[in-house]
Each structure stands twice: as structure tokens, then as C-alpha cells.
Amino acid sequence: MSKVLLIDDDVELVGMFQEYLEQEGFEARAVHDGESGAAEALTGQYAIAILDVMMPRMNGLETLRRIRAGSRLPILMLTARGDDTDRIVGLELGADDYVTKPCTPRELTARIRAILRRTNAAPGDAAGAAALCVGQLTMWPEQRRAAWSGTPLELTSTEFNLLEALARQAGRPVSKNLLSDQGLGRPLARFDRNIDVHLSSLRRKLGLLADGRSCLQTVYRLGYQLIKD
């Protein structure tokens, strides 16, 4: 049973989400402020955290920053509809995905399952035990580990999924639609900048090629490509 942590000060809304998740076979715990939420998330008991941006004592972005300092726990942000700034900042700080409020318990549960499917893919699900090597990048999909020139990479679950999808197609452009499907577990939504922000974060974490270029290149109208060098 996957254990879900809900961090949101809206007691009524969280209660509804918690009840629905438990009916769907999850174990869910709720906390109602950022400080308590960060402390609970760092206990290592949870498969995923749902984190609201607007909260007392410590807002969701600061809570996310504190969690990411000590954990790669998958995090799904709850943001106000139309608030692009919070979404982009949240993704840049290491959130895996976001859902806009108001949302239904069914939508939230579907998004949770999509993230967990990619995070908890069983060994052998197109991954296998062998290392995946592209230039200075080495990935071990079964252990969900990656390294650049032997130095371990600290990647969120979504960043790992996206990098693996690109590595398996190294040298060829991969469309944003395919990256959204394989990296986020859902179709690409219109005006969704999720993939772009995650790829920008990956560029900062990966090393450069010998000629100084980034190993991740944008291919006009086709998507993104991991350079095979």
C-alpha cells in the first residue's frame, strides 16, 4: 500500500482527498502547515507528498525547498489556477508535477498514480539490470541511479524519467508529447511548460561536452535531443 502525505491548510478539502485516496487503496496522512509537513516528509515513510503552495507558518515553496534539501521524495504541487509563477518556481525547486485548484479527488488520484507508476516501475520494465551509457552519462534504471563522469547526479523522480527517455533515444529528437507520456505519465497539456522547466534543470545538473555545448539540445519543432558524444 502506497503511503501519501497531504500538506495543505484547507482541512475540509484535505479531508475529502484523504477519504477518497483511502477508498482507492492508499494510506493517507494529512498535516496542515509547512513546517510540520516538511518534517513529516523527511521521515522516509511516504511514497509521495501532495503540497499546497499557500500555507501558514511556511509556504509551500519554502516547504518544498526544505524537503528537497534532504530527500528526493516525489512531490505533486497544488497551485492556484492561472498562477504560472508558482508553478514554474515549484518545478525549478524540484517538484515533479502540479495540479491546479480546484481539482477533483479523481484527478488528483490519477496524477498520483501516474507519478508512482514511473517512480516504482518494476525491474525489467524496459529497464533491465544493465547500465545505460551515453557519452559521459551512465544510468542504472533498475536502481534509479545516474552519474556524469563518475559523479552521482541528484535527480528528482521526474528528471530521472525524462533523462532515461532521452538516453534511450540518444542522438535522435524526442517529442515533448512522448517526454510527457514517459516522464510524467500523462499526455502533454496545451501551454504546459512542465517539460521545458525540467529539462532546464537537467541542463544545469549535467556536465558539458568537450566543445562546451550542453549535452541536451532543443531541436526546433521536434523536441529535445541528448547528444550522443
Side-chain angles (χ1 to χ4, degrees):
M1 180 184 293
S2 295
K3 194 169 183 179
V4 178
L5 176 63
L6 297 159
I7 310 172
D8 192 324
D9 64 320
D10 189 331
V11 176
E12 183 177 353
L13 179 66
V14 168
M16 179 178 66
F17 285 157
Q18 188 172 7
E19 182 178 353
Y20 188 90
L21 286 167
E22 289 172 350
Q23 290 174 355
E24 291 294 308
F26 293 93
E27 181 181 351
R29 172 177 167 78
V31 294
H32 303 296
D33 67 86
E35 289 184 2
S36 301
E40 190 67 24
L42 291 170
T43 62
Q45 300 179 43
Y46 299 92
I48 189 170
I50 314 305
L51 176 60
D52 186 35
V53 171
M54 299 300 294
M55 287 188 298
R57 297 178 61 184
M58 186 165 70
N59 68 35
L61 296 177
E62 183 57 37
T63 302
L64 172 60
R65 186 179 286 108
R66 187 172 297 186
I67 294 171
R68 274 290 167 262
S71 172
R72 288 186 285 175
L73 174 73
I75 296 176
L76 179 63
M77 298 289 292
L78 294 175
T79 66
R81 188 173 299 279
D83 198 339
D84 292 335
T85 300
D86 281 345
R87 284 181 215 151
I88 292 170
V89 172
L91 294 172
E92 289 175 339
L93 290 174
D96 291 275
D97 203 354
Y98 63 83
V99 175
T100 55
K101 286 184 172 182
C103 65
T104 65
R106 183 177 180 181
E107 179 185 3
L108 183 71
T109 303
R111 198 65 65 85
I112 290 170
R113 285 198 168 114
I115 294 173
L116 294 181
R117 266 197 307 272
R118 297 300 305 163
T119 305
N120 302 322
D125 290 357
L132 176 61
C133 300
V134 179
Q136 299 178 72
L137 172 68
T138 306
M139 303 186 74
W140 295 269
E142 188 174 1
Q143 294 84 28
R144 295 186 66 80
R145 294 189 297 114
W148 181 272
S149 294
T151 301
L153 295 170
E154 293 294 328
L155 304 176
T156 68
S157 62
T158 297
E159 288 170 351
F160 188 95
N161 296 339
L162 291 171
L163 186 57
E164 182 183 356
L166 288 163
R168 292 190 181 280
Q169 301 291 329
R172 290 178 286 180
V174 183
S175 71
K176 290 174 67 173
N177 285 322
L178 184 60
L179 287 172
S180 185
D181 181 61
Q182 296 189 359
L184 300 175
R186 61 177 175 84
L188 183 69
R190 193 180 183 188
F191 305 123
D192 191 344
R193 294 190 57 196
N194 225 326
I195 299 298
D196 305 297
V197 177
H198 285 305
L199 268 290
S200 177
S201 176
L202 275 172
R203 281 195 182 101
R204 293 193 296 269
K205 293 182 179 182
L206 297 173
L208 299 175
L209 301 174
D211 60 6
R213 290 181 300 157
S214 168
C215 62
L216 285 178
Q217 296 291 318
T218 302
V219 183
Y220 182 61
R221 290 189 176 179
L222 294 179
Y224 289 94
Q225 177 178 326
L226 182 65
I227 302 298
K228 201 171 183 178
D229 190 6

